[in-house]
């Protein structure tokens, strides 16, 4: 019998498939913040203002994220920050 064809060798398929699944699971548990558009950011900031999490400073056109005390001049920056801050806060709460 001759040596198996290296092109048809499927010995490593299972480990590569498992590695892809682990990476996919890791990605699924991460909070995605880079995909926030202007409309989504404005909606989120409006909700945060209504819930008292963000305070707008009208004269300076600044938003203050109350839990962290951080100020932002962009609703998109604030939305991205808040999603990341919430994810980190939730992760710390779960680990305790």
């Amino acid at each position: 019998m001759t040596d198996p064809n290296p092109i048809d060798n499927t010995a490593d398929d299972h480990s590569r498939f498992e590695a892809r699944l682990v990476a996919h699971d890791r990605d699924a548990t991460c909070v995605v913040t880079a995909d926030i558009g202007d409309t989504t950011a404005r909606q989120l900031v409006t909700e945060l203002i209504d819930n008292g999490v963000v305070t707008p400073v009208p004269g300076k056109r600044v938003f203050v994220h109350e839990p962290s005390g951080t100020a932002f001049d962009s609703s998109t920056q604030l939305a991205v920050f808040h999603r990341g801050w919430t994810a980190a806060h939730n992760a710390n709460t779960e680990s305790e």
Side-chain angles (χ1 to χ4, degrees):
M1 188 164 153
T2 62
D3 290 333
N5 185 348
I7 294 174
D8 293 333
N9 186 0
T10 60
D12 293 330
D13 286 353
H14 177 58
S15 60
R16 285 191 301 241
F17 177 70
E18 187 173 339
R20 276 198 314 258
L21 287 178
V22 169
H24 183 327
D25 289 346
R26 190 178 320 120
D27 291 344
T29 60
C30 295
V31 175
V32 177
T33 58
D35 64 348
I36 298 176
D38 290 338
T39 304
T40 305
R42 278 187 244 123
Q43 290 171 346
L44 178 61
V45 170
T46 300
E47 289 174 17
L48 293 173
I49 291 170
D50 292 343
N51 293 331
V53 176
V54 170
T55 303
V57 181
K60 297 183 180 182
R61 296 181 57 159
V62 172
F63 301 106
V64 178
H65 185 257
E66 293 300 333
S68 67
T70 308
F72 297 91
D73 61 355
S74 164
S75 59
T76 304
Q77 290 175 349
L78 172 59
V80 169
F81 174 82
H82 180 73
R83 281 199 179 169
W85 181 88
T86 302
H89 182 72
N90 291 344
N92 288 338
T93 304
E94 289 175 5
S95 66
E96 292 176 353

